Amino acid sequence: LALVVFLTVSCDEKEDKKPNVIFVFADQWRAQDIGYNGNDVVKTPAIDKLSEESVVFTNAVSGCPVCCPYRASLLTGQYPLTHGVFYNDKPLNPNANSIAKVYKQAGYGTGYIGKWHLNGHEQGEPTAVGRKKFIPVERRQGFDFWQVLECTHDYNNSFYYGDSPEILKWQEYDAIAQTKSAIGYINEKSKKEKPFLLMLSWGPPHAPYQTAPEKYQKMYSPDDIEIRPNVPDELREKVRNDIAGYYAHITALDDCMKELLEAVENSGIKENTILVFTSDHGDMLYSQGNKKKQQPWDESLRVPFLLRFPEKLGTAQKKIEMPINTPDIMPTLLGLSGITIPETVEGSDYSKVLT
């Protein structure tokens, strides 16, 4: 009888174990520039391999394709006119019902590494000053582990804060250093019973385009770059140079993802971990004659989006053409995690579509 009771409890505990969540997102990586989406020039072997085991959202969109509105929608599951962050450098209300607070209430450890861009700045304060300020605990939206700077794109001279106002420096190209830190977090947390939510926010491949480590820049020649037909003729030479540097950043990030995926595998948590790879928005790169983002075109709006969760979804690739928008991410992750979705959330829970 005791043996039967023990086995029953063990099975129930296994069934009730919440999944870990690792959410990795780049800044300004458009959907068109990745191998699994048909780009034969850019080198993304690790992410292409991940796509073979994932749900691939072929029409993932950043509904308000700007850094801060995306991030606020990601954290709250709300649309920009609700959460109030509808342009860059506007602060998110520290009392927002965020994804980290909800997971934390469900018993999760929470961690955030990299670019934040939700603290904003004081009225009259220069934007550059606000982007370098220390972010106190009460403005971290429920994240406990914290290695963050509000915003920088100086990837080889990049700084961050932990729990104290002492500013620290990433000792190499920041995405590589941040990924190493994320791997350390995964290795530590995977040894414990408590599940975790980790967000890793890379600054590249956002401009400046020519600042990836040299070995990645050597992989691309402007002469080999294919230009989208909607780029005006007079801009094509400039675009080739920019895209060569853009791709160098992308391949550096792909190597980071390779290391991260190996850490998840080696830690033994792959099966019961929801792993997402995406981007906050795209990059026009002179398509339609426009730069950057915040434009109603595919290059600005569409982003890569992969979701792998072997325990519930298996490891065979599935493609979903239905659009998924930024406010849908939080409720979908909560749905897959078996956690009640707060009434403050406006996005749609697509977990049943996935399962």
Side-chain angles (χ1 to χ4, degrees), residues 143-156:
F143 289 99
D144 293 326
F145 182 83
W146 185 258
Q147 292 184 334
V148 168
L149 189 71
E150 174 72 352
C151 181
T152 184
H153 295 293
D154 190 356
Y155 307 126
N156 298 293

Side-chain angles (χ1 to χ4, degrees), residues 19-228:
N20 304 302
V21 181
I22 300 172
F23 191 93
V24 183
F25 62 117
D27 189 353
Q28 210 156 290
W29 187 335
R30 63 187 185 179
Q32 296 86 350
D33 290 327
I34 200 162
Y36 75 79
N37 269 343
N39 188 317
D40 296 327
V41 178
V42 68
K43 299 173 178 68
T44 54
I47 296 173
D48 296 344
K49 185 177 179 182
L50 174 64
S51 76
E52 294 171 4
E53 301 181 336
S54 302
V55 176
V56 180
F57 286 89
T58 59
N59 285 302
V61 296
S62 178
C64 187
V66 192
C67 294
C68 298
Y70 171 91
R71 289 156 196 272
S73 290
L74 170 66
L75 262 61
T76 64
Q78 297 176 333
Y79 289 92
L81 291 181
T82 300
H83 59 60
V85 183
F86 44 85
Y87 57 84
N88 269 354
D89 300 293
K90 191 176 192 303
L92 177 62
N93 186 335
N95 297 317
N97 198 13
S98 76
I99 188 170
K101 292 173 186 175
V102 176
Y103 271 99
K104 193 172 178 178
Q105 191 172 19
Y108 278 64
T110 57
Y112 196 104
I113 299 170
K115 177 183 174 182
W116 182 241
H117 218 176
L118 283 171
N119 195 51
H121 55 84
E122 303 296 331
Q123 189 170 359
E125 180 180 61
T127 300
V129 173
R131 289 183 174 187
K132 294 178 181 177
K133 287 173 66 174
F134 173 70
I135 301 169
V137 172
E138 63 271 17
R139 298 186 66 82
R140 297 178 188 175
Q141 299 295 341
F143 289 99
D144 293 326
F145 182 83
W146 185 258
Q147 292 184 334
V148 168
L149 189 71
E150 174 72 352
C151 181
T152 184
H153 295 293
D154 190 356
Y155 307 126
N156 298 293
N157 188 38
S158 181
F159 297 86
Y160 69 96
Y161 293 99
D163 289 330
S164 77
E166 177 189 2
I167 195 162
L168 305 168
K169 186 174 183 179
W170 297 112
Q171 292 304 309
E172 52 193 318
Y173 181 75
D174 62 3
I176 293 175
Q178 289 159 3
T179 303
K180 288 178 179 177
S181 177
I183 289 169
Y185 183 90
I186 290 165
N187 289 339
E188 178 192 347
K189 296 297 182 183
S190 63
K191 297 172 185 174
K192 300 178 180 179
E193 285 298 312
K194 189 176 183 180
F196 65 86
L197 163 70
L198 173 64
M199 288 192 161
L200 173 59
S201 173
W202 291 321
H206 188 292
Y209 302 116
Q210 312 300 333
T211 58
E214 188 176 357
K215 77 171 188 175
Y216 297 105
Q217 293 191 52
K218 287 181 177 179
M219 293 181 182
Y220 296 99
S221 165
D223 297 336
D224 299 330
I225 301 300
E226 296 178 3
I227 303 297
R228 292 176 70 75

Side-chain angles (χ1 to χ4, degrees), residues 134-333:
F134 173 70
I135 301 169
V137 172
E138 63 271 17
R139 298 186 66 82
R140 297 178 188 175
Q141 299 295 341
F143 289 99
D144 293 326
F145 182 83
W146 185 258
Q147 292 184 334
V148 168
L149 189 71
E150 174 72 352
C151 181
T152 184
H153 295 293
D154 190 356
Y155 307 126
N156 298 293
N157 188 38
S158 181
F159 297 86
Y160 69 96
Y161 293 99
D163 289 330
S164 77
E166 177 189 2
I167 195 162
L168 305 168
K169 186 174 183 179
W170 297 112
Q171 292 304 309
E172 52 193 318
Y173 181 75
D174 62 3
I176 293 175
Q178 289 159 3
T179 303
K180 288 178 179 177
S181 177
I183 289 169
Y185 183 90
I186 290 165
N187 289 339
E188 178 192 347
K189 296 297 182 183
S190 63
K191 297 172 185 174
K192 300 178 180 179
E193 285 298 312
K194 189 176 183 180
F196 65 86
L197 163 70
L198 173 64
M199 288 192 161
L200 173 59
S201 173
W202 291 321
H206 188 292
Y209 302 116
Q210 312 300 333
T211 58
E214 188 176 357
K215 77 171 188 175
Y216 297 105
Q217 293 191 52
K218 287 181 177 179
M219 293 181 182
Y220 296 99
S221 165
D223 297 336
D224 299 330
I225 301 300
E226 296 178 3
I227 303 297
R228 292 176 70 75
N230 56 16
V231 175
D233 290 341
E234 65 273 16
L235 296 172
R236 287 178 169 265
E237 184 176 348
K238 174 174 176 49
V239 170
R240 283 194 174 90
N241 282 303
D242 283 355
I243 292 181
Y246 183 66
Y247 285 1
H249 281 308
I250 285 173
T251 301
L253 297 181
D254 187 77
D255 274 356
C256 290
M257 181 59 81
K258 177 184 177 182
E259 299 292 326
L260 189 80
L261 292 171
E262 287 176 355
V264 171
E265 182 93 37
N266 294 337
S267 67
I269 63 169
K270 176 181 175 180
E271 288 297 310
N272 197 33
T273 294
I274 302 168
L275 190 145
V276 175
F277 161 72
T278 187
S279 176
D280 59 356
H281 50 74
D283 192 334
M284 291 302 295
L285 280 163
Y286 294 98
S287 284
Q288 313 294 343
N290 291 319
K291 296 188 293 183
K292 300 183 180 180
K293 57 273 188 182
Q294 207 169 354
Q295 304 284 335
W297 303 99
D298 274 2
E299 293 85 358
S300 168
L301 284 165
R302 291 183 60 229
V303 293
F305 197 104
L306 303 178
L307 189 152
R308 186 183 74 179
F309 186 12
E311 189 164 289
K312 279 195 177 179
L313 307 178
T315 54
Q317 186 186 82
K318 302 175 183 70
K319 289 189 176 180
I320 294 183
E321 295 182 354
M322 173 189 68
I324 185 170
N325 193 5
T326 317
D328 306 326
I329 296 171
M330 176 179 172
T332 300
L333 293 177

